[in-house]
Amino acid sequence: MKYNRCGHSGLKLPAISLGLWHNFGHVNDFKNSRNLIFTAFNNGITHFDLANNYGPPPGSAEEVFGKILLENFQGYRDEMIISSKAGYTMWDGPYGDWGSKKYLVSSLDQSLKRMKLDYVDIFYHHRPDPETPLEETMDTLSLMVQQGKALYVGISNYQAPEAEKAIKILKENGTPCLIHQPKYSMFERWVEGGLLDVLEKNGVGCIPFSPLAQGLLTDKYLHGIPADSRVATSGVFLKESNITPEKIEVISKLNDVAHNRQQKLSHMALSWILKDQRITSVLIGASKPEHITEAIIALDHTTFSEEEIKLIDEILA
């Protein structure tokens, strides 16, 4: 595994990290969830990314992960980077959402209990809150570090201007922003419009999620919708209506570029993100152990020629 320094911090993260957004809830097979953690860790993936509401039901991914840690990873805590977040709806009522001090403190306390941990390595604010003062939210992240409940703090889903303000507040508080977690893929390139420059200027790491666009940036949809695909089984974040003939044509052209690079499309999609030195790590999801071992292969070929970059940009235009 390749490990990259996170911004200007002393922390290194694996180039591939495992997200527990899907496949770790109470609705999932526990043995498979445990096997995914084992496969990741045994292949050098030391970073495991959660959030308070991951499941389903909300909170269950942290409970399942906590059980796996307790039963199988005692003695390995210091070899693991564990992150969690709060900012989306976790419970009903006025205190279970957004970015107030009340919500963030309560949420992290709950997360630590579910995972049976004394601290998380990284605690994120999951999304900006348009109603809570940014100072209150960032001061609360700083408090989490001061209380020893988090070693580092980060932000997620913040646009460039608000990210710059948040980073400034955290720096003034003496708890610098370690990392930003944005949605970024070949199909979702908004971070290139200023955010990556802000992060680089301020020495903040970047760990994109959904690098495969919920599976679109693979070859699985080139010949129809498989019965075990996310579209067929969930259809919440990726719907059948997203898979248009025009989209399939783009995916097919990208697939040809990948083959010419002697890569699978999914490998190239990960490599394409990791070619940028401002990217610390890429978050992948997995429902099968081979999804993890397959993704790691992308690290073997993260360089692109100018011609390849130009061709990909033309296809995506």
Side-chain angles (χ1 to χ4, degrees):
M1 177 55 61
K2 183 172 185 275
Y3 298 89
N4 298 319
R5 188 166 302 282
C6 191
H8 290 168
S9 77
L11 185 69
K12 290 185 176 182
L13 296 180
I16 302 286
S17 298
L18 183 63
L20 279 64
W21 181 20
H22 297 285
N23 306 306
F24 290 88
H26 287 166
V27 300
N28 302 107
D29 178 66
F30 176 77
K31 288 183 179 179
N32 185 60
S33 299
R34 182 173 59 192
N35 201 11
L36 294 171
I37 301 298
F38 268 86
T39 301
F41 192 72
N42 288 338
N43 282 280
I45 294 177
T46 52
H47 180 209
F48 301 91
D49 182 75
L50 300 101
N52 57 355
N53 61 344
Y54 288 176
S60 60
E62 290 182 330
E63 289 178 355
V64 167
F65 184 64
K67 183 179 180 183
I68 294 168
L69 289 179
L70 184 65
E71 294 179 356
N72 304 109
F73 283 84
Q74 290 203 41
Y76 292 94
R77 175 66 182 94
D78 294 337
E79 304 299 324
M80 306 174 89
I81 302 297
I82 299 168
S83 59
S84 194
K85 318 176 199 72
Y88 282 95
T89 303
M90 182 58 194
W91 64 87
D92 293 336
Y95 312 118
D97 203 348
W98 294 106
S100 71
K101 185 176 185 178
K102 172 68 174 174
Y103 171 47
L104 296 183
V105 170
S106 301
S107 181
L108 181 52
D109 284 346
Q110 292 176 19
S111 291
L112 293 175
K113 288 176 183 175
R114 282 191 289 266
M115 292 187 284
K116 301 176 177 63
L117 294 174
D118 296 323
Y119 67 94
V120 292
D121 296 280
I122 308 168
F123 184 57
Y124 291 88
H125 186 225
H126 208 164
R127 63 169 170 173
D129 181 349
E131 296 184 349
T132 299
L134 189 59
E135 288 79 8
E136 176 178 340
T137 302
M138 293 304 110
D139 288 353
T140 304
L141 293 186
S142 299
L143 177 65
M144 299 296 92
V145 174
Q146 292 158 7
Q147 291 182 338
K149 295 175 182 177
L151 300 186
Y152 302 91
V153 291
I155 52 178
S156 180
N157 296 306
Y158 276 60
Q159 299 286 326
E162 57 200 8
E164 189 144 39
K165 292 176 186 175
I167 291 166
K168 183 174 184 290
I169 295 168
L170 287 170
K171 185 176 181 181
E172 291 170 350
N173 288 349
T175 51
C177 183
L178 174 80
I179 196 165
H180 186 300
Q181 187 175 134
K183 191 175 187 179
Y184 183 30
S185 72
M186 286 180 168
F187 288 156
E188 184 106 28
R189 300 178 64 173
W190 66 270
V191 302
E192 297 170 9
L195 179 65
L196 289 175
D197 293 332
V198 167
L199 301 183
E200 182 179 33
K201 182 179 75 173
N202 289 281
V204 177
C206 184
I207 181 167
F209 69 90
S210 291
L212 302 183
Q214 299 286 299
L216 280 180
L217 287 165
T218 69
D219 56 14
K220 72 166 65 173
Y221 295 111
L222 286 176
H223 308 291
I225 299 174
D228 64 345
S229 67
R230 188 169 294 175
V231 171
T233 58
S234 173
V236 176
F237 294 97
L238 182 63
K239 299 178 173 63
E240 189 171 346
S241 59
N242 298 131
I243 306 176
T244 62
E246 293 79 13
K247 183 71 78 174
I248 292 298
E249 183 180 359
V250 170
I251 295 168
S252 181
K253 289 179 179 178
L254 291 172
N255 195 46
D256 291 340
V257 177
H259 282 175
N260 288 334
R261 284 172 49 83
Q262 298 183 315
Q263 283 186 306
K264 289 186 175 181
L265 175 55
S266 58
H267 296 163
M268 186 179 78
L270 295 174
S271 299
W272 180 85
I273 292 177
L274 287 164
K275 75 184 186 307
D276 193 320
Q277 296 302 305
R278 296 170 293 186
I279 303 297
T280 311
S281 179
V282 172
L283 270 170
I284 63 163
S287 58
K288 301 173 184 176
E290 53 265 34
H291 291 164
I292 297 170
T293 51
E294 273 283 308
I296 293 171
I297 296 172
L299 300 177
D300 294 337
H301 191 9
T302 58
T303 57
F304 289 74
S305 68
E306 289 184 15
E307 291 79 11
E308 287 171 334
I309 291 174
K310 183 181 178 183
L311 179 56
I312 290 170
D313 285 342
E314 289 174 354
I315 293 170
L316 294 171

